[in-house]
Amino acid sequence: MTATLTDEKKSDDKKISLKIGIPREIYPNECRVSATPDTATKLQKLGFTILIETQAGEKASFSDRVYEEIGCKIIHNKKQLWQEADIILKVRPPEQEEVNLLDSKKTLISFIYPAQNPELLRELSDKKATVFAMDAVPRISRAQKLDALSSMANIAGYRAVIEAANNFGRFFTGQITAAGKVPPAKVLVIGAGVAGLAAIGTAKSLGAIVRAFDTRLVVKEQIESLGGEFLELEFAEDGSGEGGYAKTMSKEFIDAEMALFAEQAQEVDIIITTALIPGKPAPKLITEAMVSSMRQGSVIVDLAAEQGGNCEVTKPNEVYKYNGVTIVGLTDLPSRMASQSSQLYGTNLWHLLKDMGGNDNFTVNLEDEVIRGALVTYQGDVTFPPPKIAQPSPTTTVKPEVKIVTSESKKEKKSNSGLLWAVLAVLALIGIGIGAPSSFLSHFTVFILAVFVGWQVIWNVTPALHTPLMSVTNAISGIIIIGGMLQISGELTSPTTILGAIAILVGTINISGGFLVTQRMLKMFRR
């Protein structure tokens, strides 16, 4: 089922451009804007007309003049903007005065948080408006370009480390100076989602010793790839839930992780918490006793403050000291980097509108799982939560009869073949020893030993060093060529002469190829 907004607005001869309204955010201390000059230009290329409320981008360093220069229309009256626009793009959920400006012909795209705001959802449905929640976009591969939650979480994780450094009062990196040795800061990140990974990477880049914990074991490699140490419990339980989020764990697991946090709180200087469970209050992971056990001057940054906080003493929207420990409960971290946040969020919105057909084919396609997942109210109905995607039933196929080979029979065959090759090798060596001259045997022994030693050396070198190793072996190949030249002075048909010629040929190829590859690698690093 699809519904096309442009059907009523297109005449037979000329397509009418839909108007996108960008209002100024009225939520306290909100500095972001839903369209930057860059993303507004992209929306215009899709055929939309862009209306900007005056000073909508002022706090994000985008003046009205910049919008006017790219062809946007500046509207000086909020009510006029909402009346003229067909599609409204916002950052924060609409306030009551903004909800009152909606009607059945409007489409609103914004953060809504429908699970936490059922009353707002009911009011929006009463207005019969079409509303998309950017926080409800399904977390599937195809929808990554629309994932505004991840875009904002990435910035929040980065900014959390900056706020921690600002309140810490010491270096993150360790230093040895004439005035003495400065130890590096120790940072614990709880939760390794998008925000947590961003915090790990940022703290590590500043020189801190970073430890991280997550109930999902699958994130261990991601943490270690960023230079962090993964703190792991001796539990078989895994916390991986739907959509990449963590699930609620058993009481035994929670008790074990709380004991781990209590131990770490006494050792680390900074704790950054990012743990959230969709549709539920943030879990309490840092108790008052843990905070009291931390050293004076330590810092806790609680990214879950808006959902109740992971720390028992967090105060939303406040930064204060508790027993000498600074508690940062700011809920507007992305807004504190308004220019960057607006650019990423605006790009997410552009991708959504592009996928919906742009201006010419703007369509609410209920058969599209991404569009249906983000749609929360439609034609007066609340469409949240979306129906679960039905998985196709597996098709049953008739399998041909397969002969099962047991592991014992495989081992027996492998041992038999290995024994056969060993016997053949011994016979070959005996044959060479009987027929070959004594001078050849000495060289042949050296050759066998060189092959064995070379194989062991090359095999035990990491693949990342194979190219540098190739350059080093050029010198060895030169020695091989000299040795081969000394051996070709005999009869042309003698084994010694033939092997010497082969050695010269292989050594020459190795030297030439090694220098060519090395030169190519060096060119990659030239500007």
Side-chain angles (χ1 to χ4, degrees):
M1 177 181 177
T2 59
T4 306
L5 182 64
T6 54
D7 287 345
E8 300 176 359
K9 295 182 174 291
K10 293 179 184 177
S11 63
D12 294 336
D13 300 322
K14 185 179 180 181
K15 294 178 180 178
I16 299 176
S17 177
L18 295 174
K19 296 178 181 179
I20 293 179
I22 311 297
R24 180 167 54 88
E25 298 293 326
I26 60 176
Y27 188 87
N29 300 320
E30 180 55 69
C31 301
R32 290 170 291 178
V33 63
S34 56
T36 66
D38 179 61
T39 61
T41 301
K42 292 181 178 180
L43 291 172
Q44 289 173 330
K45 290 180 180 179
L46 294 178
F48 296 107
T49 297
I50 311 300
L51 310 179
I52 307 286
E53 183 180 354
T54 183
Q55 296 186 338
E58 200 71 34
K59 294 181 179 179
S61 303
F62 303 122
S63 64
D64 290 349
R65 179 181 56 81
V66 177
Y67 286 108
E68 285 181 313
E69 289 176 353
I70 61 172
C72 298
K73 182 180 179 181
I74 304 299
I75 305 297
H76 295 274
N77 183 278
K78 176 181 291 290
K79 188 175 182 180
Q80 179 187 352
L81 176 89
W82 285 73
Q83 287 177 344
E84 291 188 19
D86 303 296
I87 304 169
I88 303 292
L89 303 183
K90 274 183 53 60
V91 179
R92 288 279 184 171
E95 301 292 329
Q96 187 60 55
E97 62 179 280
E98 294 174 318
V99 173
N100 294 336
L101 296 174
L102 286 170
D103 57 48
S104 60
K105 297 181 180 179
K106 307 293 184 189
T107 297
L108 171 66
I109 306 176
S110 176
F111 282 111
I112 301 294
Y113 307 107
Q116 290 86 358
N117 297 311
E119 183 63 25
L120 172 61
L121 209 58
R122 186 190 61 79
E123 293 177 357
L124 292 172
S125 66
D126 290 343
K127 291 292 183 178
K128 300 187 184 317
T130 300
V131 180
F132 291 91
M134 292 302 292
D135 50 283
V137 171
R139 287 200 151 179
I140 58 178
S141 298
R142 187 165 64 87
Q144 287 182 350
K145 60 186 178 181
L146 316 176
D147 192 354
L149 280 179
S150 293
S151 297
M152 298 302 103
N154 182 29
I155 293 175
Y158 171 86
R159 184 71 188 197
V161 177
I162 303 303
E163 294 292 338
N166 185 48
N167 288 278
F168 183 43
R170 290 202 291 113
F171 290 136
F172 264 47
T173 184
Q175 291 189 6
I176 298 177
T177 68
K181 181 179 179 181
V182 180
K186 296 179 180 178
V187 179
L188 172 63
V189 179
I190 300 178
V194 177
L197 292 174
I200 293 168
T202 305
K204 188 64 180 179
S205 67
L206 290 176
I209 297 174
V210 184
R211 305 166 183 173
F213 176 83
D214 197 291
T215 58
R216 300 164 299 159
L217 299 179
V218 295
V219 301
K220 179 180 179 180
E221 290 185 3
Q222 299 177 49
I223 292 171
E224 292 176 345
S225 69
L226 292 170
E229 175 191 354
F230 181 65
L231 303 178
E232 189 172 354
L233 297 175
E234 297 295 331
F235 262 82
E237 188 175 0
D238 184 26
S240 299
E242 294 183 359
Y245 292 101
K247 67 179 182 181
T248 304
M249 307 300 290
S250 65
K251 183 181 183 302
E252 292 77 12
F253 188 96
I254 293 175
D255 291 341
E257 73 172 2
M258 294 298 282
L260 174 66
F261 297 154
E263 178 185 349
Q264 291 293 318
Q266 300 176 37
E267 298 181 12
V268 301
D269 303 298
I270 295 168
I271 297 178
I272 298 174
T273 64
T274 69
L276 285 172
I277 299 177
K280 296 183 180 180
K284 299 299 182 185
L285 303 177
I286 305 298
T287 63
E288 182 181 357
M290 294 179 195
V291 177
S292 299
S293 70
M294 297 181 72
R295 290 190 288 265
Q296 297 280 313
S298 299
V299 180
I300 296 177
V301 182
D302 195 340
L303 291 184
E306 196 166 8
Q307 303 301 325
N310 296 136
C311 178
E312 287 184 346
V313 297
T314 295
K315 296 180 181 180
N317 296 313
E318 288 190 29
V319 179
Y320 78 105
K321 288 186 178 293
Y322 184 89
N323 290 341
V325 178
T326 303
I327 312 296
V328 180
L330 299 174
T331 61
D332 61 344
L333 293 179
S335 183
R336 289 171 178 256
M337 299 183 67
S339 179
Q340 184 67 74
S341 298
S342 300
Q343 178 63 34
L344 293 181
Y345 181 61
T347 302
N348 294 139
L349 293 172
W350 170 70
H351 280 300
L352 176 62
L353 292 169
K354 183 180 179 182
D355 286 357
M356 294 180 71
N359 177 78
D360 296 342
N361 301 291
F362 186 81
T363 303
V364 180
N365 184 4
L366 301 181
E367 302 299 326
D368 187 322
E369 60 181 325
V370 176
I371 302 302
R372 178 63 186 85
L375 187 67
V376 293
T377 69
Y378 183 63
Q379 295 180 346
D381 296 326
V382 174
T383 58
F384 177 85
K388 290 188 176 182
I389 306 300
Q391 298 295 334
S393 301
T395 57
T396 57
T397 57
V398 179
K399 295 183 179 180
E401 185 178 351
V402 179
K403 184 179 179 181
I404 300 176
V405 180
T406 62
S407 58
E408 288 78 6
S409 61
K410 288 182 178 179
K411 289 180 180 178
E412 185 178 353
K413 289 183 178 180
K414 186 175 181 180
S415 61
N416 291 336
S417 62
L419 181 61
L420 177 62
W421 281 109
V423 171
L424 292 175
V426 171
L427 292 175
L429 290 174
I430 292 173
I432 293 174
I434 294 173
S438 57
S439 60
F440 173 78
L441 285 177
S442 63
H443 294 303
F444 185 72
T445 303
V446 174
F447 173 73
I448 295 298
L449 291 175
V451 169
F452 178 76
V453 173
W455 171 66
Q456 287 294 323
V457 170
I458 300 298
W459 188 262
N460 291 310
V461 171
T462 178
L465 297 177
H466 280 177
T467 300
L469 183 65
M470 186 181 298
S471 300
V472 177
T473 56
N474 287 338
I476 300 174
S477 298
I479 297 173
I480 293 173
I481 291 175
I482 294 174
M485 293 173 66
L486 294 175
Q487 298 300 323
I488 60 175
S489 58
E491 297 181 5
L492 294 177
T493 58
S494 68
T496 303
T497 304
I498 294 173
L499 289 177
I502 294 175
I504 294 174
L505 175 64
V506 173
T508 304
I509 294 174
N510 192 30
I511 290 178
S512 303
F515 277 116
L516 288 174
V517 173
T518 303
Q519 187 179 18
R520 183 178 178 184
M521 292 291 293
L522 292 174
K523 285 181 178 179
M524 294 173 63
F525 293 95
R526 293 177 183 171
R527 293 183 178 179

